[in-house]
Amino acid sequence: MASEETGTVAARTEEPRTARGTDERGKDGQETASPRAWMTRLLVVGIVLSALNLRPAITSLGALLEEVRDGLGMSGSVAGLLTSVPPLCFAVFGATAPRLARRFGLGAVVCAGMTAITAGLLIRPYAGSTPGFLAASALALMGIAVSNVLMPVIVKRWFPDRVGSMTGLYSMALAAGTAVAAAVAVPLAHALGGWQPGLAIWAALAGAAILPWLPLVRKREEGAGARAGAGAAGGAAPKVPDPAAHQAPLRITRSRTAWALAVFFGLQATGAYITMGWMPQIFRDAGVPASTAGVLLAVTMVMGVPLAFVIPRVAARLPHQGPIVLTLGACGLAGYAGLYLAPAAGAWAWALLLGVSNCAFPLALTMVGMRARSGPGVAQLSAFAQSTGYLISIPGPLLVGVLYQRSGGWGVPLALMAGLMVPQMVVGVLAGRDRTVEDEAAR
């Protein structure tokens, strides 16, 4: 037992040197970038480009949904179903990510995911029918699902000493991609001559995200760090094994922290999808002009760009992330109360508060990286938390719509939104405790 722990510690202390890369001096005394530094830069570019592509497939469609319905003759019920397809695909396909990563390697699976996104986005506008459109959308969402799960794993594997900053970087890129796609989808469609090229253009961004991963594709990702280290040393050093990379799968369902994190992830996703789907309608029903309601939603989404970078960095420095969970939850409760009491008079304040509250997403991603010690542990925890969480989030937006229709107003739906914030805060505090799923799953 002691020797296993020693081996694991040694592996963890070696990983930062593999991930960071170093500059070495050549014979002329000038600094030259080692292969490790080159590999690290390529990884950072790949992570950022991948994160930019994890939401435009969804938000660009939302902005052009009316045009898509008219163009395909899509019924209202099918169009409503589209709002539940993303979390369903994330839950189903995200669960396969750890197994695929063990079989083919992290880089290969993410590269394949970006390829699936590119193909799906390119095919779906020209599929010519509702079933074809849904199938191509599912292909793109499959690529997004596996990349969603594996981003925290890549950060843990290659940047173990910078989990907070790297999680903040890709969370910020994800938020930026979400907001930009929502804001420019309609103008792009008008400029390009229709909704079909307006949706297909996003395949170009996804295609660009494939390129950084091509040199990183390996049958087994574990060998990449050793090869980079060997190149930097100028020799053919043997592969340095990572004992944790071959550990038996955890009994993740035995971990209370894993369950708390999964429920936290699901409840914050529920709030985010409700906000994206219904907040503009709340403002419009209160007398806010439609154009202003759209801008208010954009403000809510844009808040995630700077905060998604700051919150993970702060969270990674704290032994317990509970205070951040409670702060974000309080902002959400204040925002929902404001929407009920004075939706039009304080619209900008409520949009800002809900934008802050929605930053529970990057916090959840950060805790995934902190609640497991090893790369495989992060992979299992990420898949479990995201798949279970997205399943939890599916009924939320639909339930809000039903309550709104039956009650004839927003009082009951807003009470539901605020009510869900309370258990989100409770399980978030539990998930933020300083412990790991490996310890709990072994009990």
Side-chain angles (χ1 to χ4, degrees):
M1 185 70 182
S3 62
E4 290 177 358
E5 292 178 355
T6 304
T8 304
V9 172
R12 291 204 302 270
T13 57
E14 283 295 320
E15 278 189 317
R17 292 199 293 270
T18 301
R20 281 194 295 264
T22 55
D23 286 330
E24 298 180 341
R25 294 188 179 275
K27 293 180 180 178
D28 55 0
Q30 300 207 358
E31 290 188 353
T32 59
S34 73
R36 283 182 292 174
W38 171 84
M39 182 74 74
T40 300
R41 295 187 188 105
L42 194 62
L43 276 164
V44 172
V45 172
I47 289 169
V48 171
L49 284 177
S50 297
L52 284 171
N53 283 282
L54 295 183
R55 293 300 180 270
I58 302 169
T59 52
S60 62
L61 174 60
L64 295 167
L65 185 57
E66 184 175 344
E67 290 81 356
V68 173
R69 286 182 60 189
D70 293 340
L72 295 176
M74 189 181 295
S75 67
S77 59
V78 174
L81 180 64
L82 281 175
T83 63
S84 295
V85 168
L88 178 61
C89 287
F90 293 166
V92 173
F93 296 122
T96 67
R99 186 179 305 154
L100 292 172
R102 287 195 298 269
R103 175 67 180 85
F104 300 105
L106 290 171
V109 176
V110 174
C111 186
M114 293 299 113
T115 304
I117 296 171
T118 304
L121 293 180
L122 194 59
I123 293 169
R124 74 175 181 177
Y126 304 104
S129 66
T130 297
F133 188 91
L134 290 172
S137 296
L139 177 62
L141 292 168
M142 178 177 64
I144 294 172
V146 296
S147 301
N148 270 339
V149 170
L150 294 182
M151 283 294 110
V153 186
I154 289 169
V155 168
K156 184 74 170 183
R157 169 68 180 88
W158 289 96
F159 304 93
D161 55 341
R162 287 180 279 171
V163 170
S165 59
M166 288 303 301
T167 301
L169 181 64
Y170 81 75
S171 298
M172 183 174 65
L174 190 152
T178 304
V180 169
V184 308
V186 174
L188 267 178
H190 291 162
L192 295 172
W195 65 268
Q196 290 173 308
L199 286 180
I201 190 65
W202 297 101
L205 181 62
I210 297 173
L211 301 178
W213 295 103
L214 291 175
L216 300 169
V217 172
R218 297 287 187 269
K219 185 176 181 180
R220 292 289 181 187
E221 188 74 17
E222 294 81 27
R227 282 189 288 272
K239 182 174 74 173
V240 178
D242 180 0
H246 303 287
Q247 68 183 33
L250 298 170
R251 297 179 182 178
I252 199 74
T253 56
R254 298 179 62 178
S255 168
R256 294 181 180 179
T257 297
W259 278 108
L261 189 52
V263 177
F264 177 69
F265 197 99
L267 291 175
Q268 66 81 27
T270 300
Y273 280 110
I274 290 173
T275 300
M276 287 188 285
W278 292 108
M279 194 175 78
Q281 191 63 49
I282 295 174
F283 286 128
R284 291 179 68 175
D285 287 351
V288 176
S291 58
T292 304
V295 174
L296 288 166
L297 177 60
V299 167
T300 299
M301 305 305 295
V302 167
M303 285 297 296
V305 177
L307 291 178
F309 185 70
V310 173
I311 288 175
R313 293 172 65 90
V314 175
R317 293 186 174 96
L318 298 176
H320 194 309
Q321 288 73 48
I324 303 178
V325 171
L326 296 176
T327 300
L328 298 180
C331 289
L333 289 173
Y336 291 135
L339 285 177
Y340 176 75
L341 296 172
W348 294 100
W350 317 141
L352 288 171
L353 284 169
L354 290 174
V356 174
S357 178
N358 282 347
C359 288
F361 175 70
L363 176 61
L365 293 178
T366 306
M367 288 196 287
V368 167
M370 298 180 68
R371 297 287 89 88
R373 287 195 301 268
S374 65
V378 173
Q380 278 192 261
L381 178 58
S382 181
F384 176 75
Q386 294 199 43
S387 296
T388 306
Y390 282 123
L391 282 176
I392 292 171
S393 73
I394 291 173
L398 299 177
L399 182 57
V400 166
V402 170
L403 291 175
Y404 170 59
Q405 184 174 356
R406 293 195 174 183
S407 66
W410 286 106
V412 176
L414 285 170
L416 171 66
M417 299 178 208
L420 290 176
M421 189 62 67
V422 176
Q424 177 180 322
M425 295 164 71
V426 172
V427 294
V429 170
L430 295 176
R433 294 176 297 176
D434 187 13
R435 56 193 64 193
T436 64
V437 294
E438 285 93 346
D439 292 335
E440 292 182 341
R443 293 173 186 171

